[in-house]
């Protein structure tokens, strides 16, 4: 085995730790969200998508602050944040949040 591969195997964020397998399992959330982009936006839960956005944003910061820095976890949650924000925008568009409301004009008397 090469020295670089051995160093990876035995590193604090290597495959012998939960710091590796946690992000790997989180890719399931990302892949499911990408698959959901093909579904109609009416099926999206705004509450759950919002919670996933907050969750991923918090874990991006956590991955940056923890020692040793877990770049794999940070990239995983950054990708999830992007997909969830896209899903949230689809949901908001379907709910009519981005439509311009016409202001009521006073009726003119003829």
């Amino acid at each position: 085995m090469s020295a670089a591969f051995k160093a990876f195997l035995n590193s604090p964020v290597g495959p012998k730790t939960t710091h590796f397998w946690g992000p790997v399992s989180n890719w399931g959330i990302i892949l499911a969200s990408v698959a959901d982009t093909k579904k109609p936006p009416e099926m999206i839960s705004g509450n759950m998508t919002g919670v996933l956005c907050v969750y991923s944003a918090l874990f991006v910061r956590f991955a940056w602050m923890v020692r040793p820095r877990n770049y794999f976890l940070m990239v995983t949650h950054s990708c999830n944040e992007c997909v969830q924000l896209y899903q949230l925008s689809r949901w908001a568009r379907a709910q009519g949040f981005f439509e311009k409301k016409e202001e009521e004009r006073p009726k003119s008397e003829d």
Side-chain angles (χ1 to χ4, degrees), residues 7 10 13 22 72 81 84 98 100 104 107:
N10 297 317
V13 291
F72 187 33
E81 183 73 16
Q84 296 303 329
F98 295 138
K100 290 185 179 179
E104 290 185 30
K107 294 181 182 180

Side-chain angles (χ1 to χ4, degrees), residues 94-107:
Q95 298 297 316
F97 287 110
F98 295 138
E99 293 177 4
K100 290 185 179 179
K101 295 181 181 178
E102 292 184 27
E103 294 181 25
E104 290 185 30
R105 297 181 185 167
K107 294 181 182 180

Side-chain angles (χ1 to χ4, degrees), residues 2-67:
S2 72
F5 186 67
K6 279 185 180 180
F8 168 69
L9 280 178
N10 297 317
S11 75
V13 291
K16 293 182 179 180
T17 68
T18 59
H19 298 291
F20 177 82
W21 292 107
V24 168
S25 65
N26 274 323
W27 276 99
I29 297 171
I30 299 166
L31 295 174
S33 297
V34 169
D36 285 348
T37 60
K38 305 286 186 204
K39 295 180 181 177
E42 293 78 22
M43 295 181 69
I44 298 170
S45 168
N47 291 338
M48 187 64 200
T49 304
V51 167
L52 284 170
C53 286
V54 171
Y55 159 78
S56 285
L58 290 172
F59 267 90
V60 167
R61 184 181 186 285
F62 170 79
W64 181 255
M65 298 303 290
V66 71
R67 298 287 181 233

Side-chain angles (χ1 to χ4, degrees), residues 69-109:
R69 283 204 171 128
N70 193 336
Y71 295 111
F72 187 33
L73 182 66
M74 190 171 67
V75 168
T76 301
H77 283 290
S78 296
C79 291
N80 191 34
E81 183 73 16
C82 292
V83 174
Q84 296 303 329
L85 286 172
Y86 173 68
Q87 290 289 69
L88 193 61
S89 72
R90 288 181 64 223
W91 174 81
R93 194 173 301 116
Q95 298 297 316
F97 287 110
F98 295 138
E99 293 177 4
K100 290 185 179 179
K101 295 181 181 178
E102 292 184 27
E103 294 181 25
E104 290 185 30
R105 297 181 185 167
K107 294 181 182 180
S108 60
E109 294 180 23

